[in-house]
Amino acid sequence: MIYNRIQKQFAMSKRYSSSLTLIFGLLLFITPHCFAQSVVLSNGATAPIFSAKASQAGNEFDFSLKKALDKGPVVLYFYPSAYTGGCDLEAHTFAELKDKFTAAGATIIGVSADDIQRLRSFSSNPDYCAGKFSVASDPGGKIAATYGLKLIPPQAGVKDVRGVQVTHGFIPRTTFVINKNDKIVAVFSSGTDHISPDEHVKKSLAIVEKL
């Protein structure tokens, strides 16, 4: 089964994750929308508004968090890289549960430092995003910085599940659930909460179903 294969890839990729989490580059950016944060934003904070190049089902477009919030709550999830074990599992789980997020009126948007070319492929891959939700490109980590997340510098020798060298930096796996009033109502971090990639999805769903 696809899920079992992705779980196996995730287990294999865990040997890379320990080395990635040891190195964090300090990024302090000022964007047109807001300032970089020195700590990760927490419950009750106002979500920084951003726009970014994104793809869904292989189609590139300009994603606007403001427009998404006008429709209802948003699950904003940052992840290290497309086509790596944990991120593939997370995307696959979001795709499987997408109808339930839609029923709750929630928009899903993934953000990574992958370039838009990689995301066009990832967003349409039937094993992962499956064309069901959007993923946005944050190549310099500027969006992540406004949420208090620090980009891990590129790591020599890291390859994705296809054997392709990963040359971009890595954003720590962190999920923000944002209500329609632009307020963060939940934050999950694999680094501090020690939860698996698919648990980010399940916890997010449980929250948006109550909003």
Side-chain angles (χ1 to χ4, degrees), residues 71-85:
K71 300 175 184 177
V74 171
V75 176
L76 166 62
Y77 83 96
F78 293 92
Y79 62 99
S81 178
Y83 293 113
T84 57

Side-chain angles (χ1 to χ4, degrees), residues 31-107:
T31 74
H33 305 290
C34 53
F35 294 94
Q37 303 296 318
S38 59
V39 296
V40 178
L41 296 184
S42 58
N43 293 1
T46 299
I49 298 300
F50 66 88
S51 297
K53 291 292 183 184
S55 181
Q56 183 167 347
N59 299 309
E60 184 178 334
F61 71 101
D62 293 320
F63 174 84
S64 165
L65 179 60
K66 183 180 184 304
K67 290 181 180 179
L69 287 169
D70 286 343
K71 300 175 184 177
V74 171
V75 176
L76 166 62
Y77 83 96
F78 293 92
Y79 62 99
S81 178
Y83 293 113
T84 57
C87 302
D88 294 349
L89 173 62
E90 188 171 23
H92 179 79
T93 309
F94 267 120
E96 281 198 322
L97 298 177
K98 173 59 168 60
D99 289 345
K100 292 185 178 181
F101 280 96
T102 299
T107 297

